[in-house]
Amino acid sequence: MTKATGDTEAGGASAKGDDLASELAYVRSLAEEGRNAPLVGGRFFLIWGAVIGFTALLIYVNYAAALNLGFVNGFTPWITAFVTGWILSFTLGRRTGAKPGALTIGNQTANSVWFSVGIFISLFWITLMVVHDNYIDGGMAPYFLFSLVFPVAFGLYGVAFFATATAARLGWLRYFAYLSWGFAIVSLFLLGSPHQLLVGAVGSLSCAALPGLILVRQEPSEIV
């Protein structure tokens, strides 16, 4: 091993040690004050709630007003929304790891459960692009299966919010779990209806963007 390599590895280990020491000091200060580490993933809720909410609202307004905007038709707006959401998550989301408390069990659990929800919903939607017309011969209307996305998504939101509320000891997040399940049920009553887009838009802004904004405002600075 060369001296330069050894110095680099030593520097990296030292930086990690400093980060861990800073994290432990921050968590200790919270414990002494009787508080829990705040969640630092609010920007993910805000990103996805805004992206999906405004996309659904744009498509609904285009339908309701019979504007027939070319760029809003077909899969284009949804593909753009998913790509934008993931790009913003991996770029702006990098700052999350630098926030004090990011390594606590509450934040680690929240990040894992919401990341898995995002992965499943994305895979579910991509799969529907492939199989949505496989059941036309059985009498199912074209694209009908896509109306299952919002009920499934809001149902998963509720589960994720409940798990996050327990892990982070934030009881108020459970109210958003109940709200998410409410939107899931309403969405089920609107299967195949274009008005489901409006419910999906309002639900995304209410159940994702709003709690995301609240959490972002409660996040600590990047310096302990």
Side-chain angles (χ1 to χ4, degrees):
M1 179 184 295
T2 64
K3 183 178 184 299
T5 302
D7 291 343
T8 300
E9 293 180 351
S14 177
K16 291 181 179 179
D18 292 341
D19 291 341
L20 182 58
S22 177
E23 187 79 9
L24 291 174
Y26 176 69
V27 173
R28 180 181 178 181
S29 68
L30 291 176
E32 291 174 348
E33 296 173 12
R35 297 187 292 122
N36 296 303
L39 290 179
V40 296
R43 68 190 62 210
F44 296 113
F45 298 176
L46 186 57
I47 287 171
W48 283 102
V51 168
I52 298 300
F54 285 119
T55 299
L57 185 60
L58 177 62
I59 296 174
Y60 177 75
V61 170
N62 179 59
Y63 169 83
L67 299 178
N68 196 28
L69 300 176
F71 65 91
V72 181
N73 296 324
F75 292 122
T76 302
W78 291 116
I79 293 175
T80 303
F82 275 103
V83 171
T84 301
W86 282 112
I87 289 177
L88 290 177
S89 294
F90 282 109
T91 53
L92 300 180
R94 291 179 180 177
R95 302 176 185 176
T96 300
K99 294 284 186 178
L103 298 180
T104 59
I105 187 64
N107 276 293
Q108 291 293 308
T109 301
N111 289 340
S112 295
V113 70
W114 281 102
F115 183 72
S116 63
V117 166
I119 288 292
F120 177 80
I121 294 175
S122 298
L123 292 176
F124 185 65
W125 191 85
I126 292 172
T127 302
L128 290 181
M129 291 184 65
V130 179
V131 306
H132 71 88
D133 59 350
N134 288 1
Y135 309 97
I136 295 178
D137 292 339
M140 184 174 292
Y143 306 108
F144 175 81
L145 290 178
F146 280 100
S147 62
L148 294 174
V149 174
F150 278 122
V152 170
F154 286 128
L156 290 175
Y157 281 8
V159 174
F161 270 126
F162 223 90
T164 301
T166 300
R169 297 182 181 179
L170 294 177
W172 60 270
L173 281 178
R174 289 194 177 93
Y175 293 108
F176 285 100
Y178 304 142
L179 186 62
S180 298
W181 290 330
F183 276 104
I185 293 172
V186 173
S187 297
L188 282 173
F189 279 99
L190 295 174
L191 291 179
S193 170
H195 299 300
Q196 190 197 66
L197 288 168
L198 179 59
V199 172
V202 175
S204 297
L205 295 174
S206 302
C207 299
L210 177 57
L213 181 61
I214 295 173
L215 290 172
V216 167
R217 292 174 63 86
Q218 295 179 348
E219 286 183 5
S221 63
E222 295 186 10
I223 300 176
V224 178

